[in-house]
């Protein structure tokens, strides 16, 4: 039966087809396409905790995953599929029902790059160089309209595909307006929004133009439930609502414009069983053996990151250099494995940061390398099996972000470590809430303090290191992805 809704200044006709009882909305979906040399579409599976969690929670449920087409090959596949339904077009989606939205390329680029990644991400990670950025002008207003249109496309699709009273789980900062837009279209739905990033305090969130800041907050408050990875981020969100919207907050609820939204904290963990099974596969074993040949019998410090500005890789390298300068007993006896995989290279700041990582790594090697020993192994080509292999070998794991919603590497390392790992962890990572008492907590801006923590971690007796690592692993597995997603459903 056709249903007509009005939203974002236009009249939209929505048609329900095979309504789903549970819907998940995210920018990136569980599958992606690329064009082969012969012009054919090649499909690959998505990775990460969200994919694992949805797949596990989908067992026995009527679940539809709504995502965006991220490139030309995705758009070709989505356009060719009936209503973008990849599972109904003969594609192997791993048993998931997937609707991929072929959003206009210009709209997607402006919404994703200019607003989501270059503005909202920067705000909530407090990354702006405020004497120079941000600057909100007429051009940025066009970008914001693209973000509104992008979110509206998701709201339209979700409204069309949801059965009466369905549960809708909206994910992350790309889709902050969707809850309110979807509620306008389908007030019968139960809607949640989950933010995977940190959240800024009101004084910093207020860098956004007043109307934009209010639109983001009211967009999320259109949900029945709003979730975060850490109590710190949830509390900051509530303070923003109170100060910038004039909302009332009491207990676990925010009250605004006649509605109440419940605030939840769900600290995402890792699936330990899945990880331990994965490292028994031949590709991981081969990479572990290759790394061990390069390292020899030396001790191993590891970090695994995307070269995102928030990950603080350069200061981590400075700390390692200071360790070698001030504690010469480690020279020749330690190798730092740095897996720094390029991220968002369409943004100039990210390209420059990757170059900085490579430059500092070369400087360390030039200063300290000698016959038979290189102090550092840097790899910038994305290789998930190699990342798992490195985590198995780590005696010390460095996770020192400036801010991070959670950071799953801090949880994966202790689960995978062959002989126990000492964790040097930024107090600004969401994971510090759960792991801090068993880790070496550091101020991510304090290079000397991080160098001292690395030294202390290397001196930790093996037995104590194993005990700490076991406690870290137990905490890391408390809320695996399937349980984490189920907690979001339960919140509705």
């Amino acid at each position: 039966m056709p249903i007509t809704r009005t939203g974002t200044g236009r009249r939209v006709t929505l048609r329900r087809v095979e309504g789903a009882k549970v819907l998940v909305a995210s920018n990136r979906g569980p599958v992606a396409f690329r064009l082969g040399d012969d012009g054919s579409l090649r499909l690959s599976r998505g990775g990460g905790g969200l994919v694992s969690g949805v797949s596990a929670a989908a067992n026995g449920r009527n679940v539809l995953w709504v995502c965006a087409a991220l490139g030309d090959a995705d758009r070709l596949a989505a356009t060719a599929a009936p209503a973008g339904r990849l599972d109904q077009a003969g594609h192997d989606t791993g048993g998931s029902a997937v609707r991929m939205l072929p959003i206009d390329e210009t709209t997607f680029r402006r919404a994703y790059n200019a607003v989501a990644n270059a503005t909202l991400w920067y705000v909530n990670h407090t990354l702006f160089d405020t004497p120079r950025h941000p600057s909100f002008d007429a051009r940025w207003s066009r970008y914001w309209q693209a973000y509104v249109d992008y979110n509206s496309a998701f709201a339209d699709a979700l409204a069309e595909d949801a059965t009466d009273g369905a549960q809708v789980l909206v994910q992350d900062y790309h889709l902050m307006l969707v809850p309110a837009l979807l509620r306008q279209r389908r007030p019968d739905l139960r809607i949640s929004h989950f933010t995977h990033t940190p959240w800024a305090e009101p004084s910093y969130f207020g860098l956004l133009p007043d109307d934009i800041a209010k639109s983001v907050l009211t967009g999320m408050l259109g949900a029945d439930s709003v979730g975060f990875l850490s109590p710190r981020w949830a509390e900051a969100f509530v303070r923003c609502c109170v100060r910038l919207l004039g909302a009332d907050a009491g207990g676990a609820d925010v009250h605004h414009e006649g509605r109440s939204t419940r605030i939840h904290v769900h600290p995402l963990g890792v699936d330990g069983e899945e990880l331990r099974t994965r490292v028994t596969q031949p590709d991981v074993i081969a990479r572990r053996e290759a790394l061990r040949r390069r390292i020899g019998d030396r001790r191993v410090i590891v970090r695994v990151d995307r070269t995102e500005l928030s990950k603080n890789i350069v200061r981590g390298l400075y700390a390692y250099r200071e360790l070698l300068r001030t504690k010469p007993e480690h020279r020749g006896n330690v190798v730092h494995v740095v897996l720094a995989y390029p991220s968002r290279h369409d943004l100039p700041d990210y390209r420059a940061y990757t170059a900085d990582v490579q430059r500092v790594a070369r400087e360390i090697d030039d200063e300290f390398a000698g016959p038979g020993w290189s102090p550092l192994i840097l790899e910038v080509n994305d290789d998930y099996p190699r990342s798992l292999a490195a985590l198995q070998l780590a005696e010390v794991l460095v996770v020192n972000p400036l801010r991070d919603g959670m950071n799953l590497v801090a949880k994966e390392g202790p689960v995978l470590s062959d002989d126990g790992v000492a964790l040097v962890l930024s107090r600004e990572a969401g994971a510090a809430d759960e792991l801090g008492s068993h880790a070496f907590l550091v101020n991510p801006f304090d290079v000397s303090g991080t160098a001292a923590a690395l030294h202390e971690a290397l001196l930790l007796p093996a037995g104590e290191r194993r005990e700490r690592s076991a406690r870290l692993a137990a905490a890391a597995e408390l809320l695996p992805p399937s349980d984490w997603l189920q907690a979001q459903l339960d919140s509705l």
Side-chain angles (χ1 to χ4, degrees), residues 18 42 64 95 115 164 244 303 306 322 345 370 452 475 480:
E18 298 181 9
R42 306 289 177 85
L64 174 64
V115 178
D164 291 336
L244 302 178
R303 74 174 304 138
R306 295 284 176 188
E322 185 161 322
H345 260 213

Side-chain angles (χ1 to χ4, degrees), residues 54-61 63:
V54 173
S55 299
N59 186 28
R61 295 179 180 270
V63 177

Side-chain angles (χ1 to χ4, degrees), residues 18-70:
E18 298 181 9
K21 295 181 179 178
V22 177
L23 301 93
V24 175
S26 63
N27 177 71
R28 185 180 300 275
V31 294
F33 292 87
R34 62 179 178 84
L35 286 173
D37 294 337
D38 59 355
S40 63
L41 288 170
R42 306 289 177 85
L43 181 145
S44 61
R45 300 288 176 82
L50 182 60
V51 172
S52 299
V54 173
S55 299
N59 186 28
R61 295 179 180 270
N62 177 15
V63 177
L64 174 64
W65 194 319
V66 180
C67 60
L70 302 185

